[in-house]
Amino acid sequence: MRNNTDNKSKQVKKSIVLTPEFVAENIYQNLKRFPFKNIIDIGCFNGSLSKPFTRKHNLKRIGLDITKEYEKNFDIFILKDFLETTKEDFKGLNIDLVLCNPPFGINKEKGELYPYLFIQHIFKVFGENIPVVLIAGHWFLSNSNKRMKYLNNANITKTTTLHKNTFSACNVSVESDVIYFNIKQKIVHDFLEFEKPKQKKQKFKTVAFNEKQMIYINNNIKNFSGIVKKLLKEEYKDFPH
Ligand SMILES: C[S@@+](CC[C@H](N)C(=O)[O-])C[C@H]1O[C@@H](n2cnc3c(N)ncnc32)[C@H](O)[C@@H]1O
């Protein structure tokens, strides 16, 4: 893992909006024919956006975030504020594709949308021709003359309009797009219909007790699941509440 050198502690919002599987898969299907070898997922969190790319052989998946909960999901992980990175941080990684689903809102310090700050910084660090897939709120494309001028000069090769319920699994309703830069595509604009998240089947674990133990449990233990949870918590400190 490459570490944050200035050791700034960052408050990571609990409300992280994850890329749903069907969006990540759609991006992957668009890009799988390209021979990308070293991809970076910027603001990666658990890697939902770049996960389908793990199906490609000999591909290195690099993750970068200000939280390191899921660093093990990546071949290389960089714990750093992306907006404070320099070319040096990526030296030797030969990154040939950037995937990025940044926060959609405004960075109050800079008075700018995060997607705008991220895309400018991506081109600064990796060069203007780097292939990029950026997910952003729809207003990123349309509510500022300054940004529109910038985007007019950027090489947008495709946009995919997402349904406003796309992020409903995270309780968010938002108009948004997937924006491709510098990646030649046959279709330059399309719409991705919403797919409801598949309900995961609950898996039950069974524990076998003998007859005497069952009688004891039935007669003496009132809050059985509470006791099991307490024991698990004692044994495994990271057992979730
Ligand atoms: C919208 S979530 C996307 C998570 C994941 N990439 C996905 O698509 O499911 C944005 C992520 O960006 C990270 N993030 C926010 N500001 C950042 C910054 N300045 N540098 C690096 N990561 C940042 C957050 O910690 C969060 O994990």
Side-chain angles (χ1 to χ4, degrees):
M1 184 182 80
R2 295 187 177 195
N3 228 325
N4 208 350
T5 45
D6 57 13
N7 248 344
K8 255 190 200 168
S9 67
K10 296 280 176 189
Q11 279 286 316
V12 179
K13 281 188 187 162
K14 284 283 163 223
S15 55
I16 288 179
V17 181
L18 300 176
T19 305
E21 212 176 304
F22 75 94
V23 176
E25 185 59 31
N26 178 268
I27 294 169
Y28 177 69
Q29 289 304 325
N30 274 317
L31 300 186
K32 65 179 184 186
R33 67 198 161 94
F34 293 96
F36 297 121
K37 289 259 176 282
N38 301 291
I39 67 164
I40 187 162
D41 184 340
I42 295 176
C44 57
F45 195 61
N46 63 1
S48 346
L49 173 58
S50 53
K51 192 173 173 209
F53 285 82
T54 54
R55 305 211 291 267
K56 268 198 147 196
H57 294 295
N58 302 324
L59 179 139
K60 216 170 253 163
R61 185 163 70 134
I62 300 146
L64 181 148
D65 207 302
I66 47 178
T67 171
K68 62 171 183 171
E69 262 168 279
Y70 293 97
E71 65 178 292
K72 291 206 172 76
N73 288 2
F74 301 91
D75 298 307
I76 297 172
F77 181 79
I78 304 170
L79 178 64
K80 198 147 195 180
D81 179 337
F82 177 61
L83 299 173
E84 290 174 8
T85 57
T86 66
K87 286 182 184 168
E88 279 300 300
D89 291 300
F90 307 101
K91 209 172 167 188
L93 295 179
N94 300 318
I95 287 161
D96 48 18
L97 173 66
V98 176
L99 303 176
C100 183
N101 176 17
F104 286 5
I106 283 194
N107 174 317
K108 286 189 186 135
E109 246 170 69
K110 300 187 173 147
E112 267 304 347
L113 287 184
Y114 274 103
Y116 189 44
L117 297 171
F118 272 62
I119 195 67
Q120 289 180 102
H121 200 70
I122 286 168
F123 289 138
K124 185 172 160 195
V125 169
F126 301 108
E128 284 187 358
N129 297 323
I130 186 86
V132 182
V133 181
L134 178 80
I135 305 184
H138 187 68
W139 57 95
F140 166 73
L141 293 173
S142 61
N143 76 353
S144 141
N145 274 343
K146 181 171 92 176
R147 212 178 307 124
M148 286 166 94
K149 191 170 177 184
Y150 177 85
L151 293 171
N152 240 340
N153 291 319
N155 183 25
I156 294 180
T157 44
K158 175 173 181 165
T159 54
T160 299
T161 302
L162 300 178
H163 190 285
K164 75 177 174 57
N165 291 345
T166 294
F167 300 99
S168 59
C170 299
N171 298 318
V172 173
S173 168
V174 63
E175 281 158 15
S176 60
D177 304 274
V178 179
I179 307 161
Y180 296 76
F181 298 83
N182 299 321
I183 310 170
K184 214 171 172 208
Q185 303 275 293
K186 275 190 210 135
I187 298 169
V188 295
H189 178 247
D190 60 8
F191 296 87
L192 185 60
E193 288 166 35
F194 172 56
E195 278 179 31
K196 269 199 181 151
K198 285 170 206 131
Q199 290 267 321
K200 275 193 188 144
K201 276 191 192 152
Q202 246 193 319
K203 282 186 189 157
F204 294 99
K205 297 263 181 210
T206 51
V207 182
F209 292 107
N210 65 31
E211 201 178 332
K212 277 188 191 161
Q213 287 167 336
M214 272 318 296
I215 292 169
Y216 183 88
I217 289 168
N218 285 336
N219 290 341
N220 299 294
I221 300 181
K222 291 201 180 72
N223 179 9
F224 183 73
S225 72
I227 289 171
V228 173
K229 280 181 194 162
K230 188 168 167 263
L231 289 172
L232 284 168
K233 186 77 202 140
E234 278 164 19
E235 188 70 20
Y236 300 94
K237 299 293 173 223
D238 55 346
F239 185 71
H241 285 282

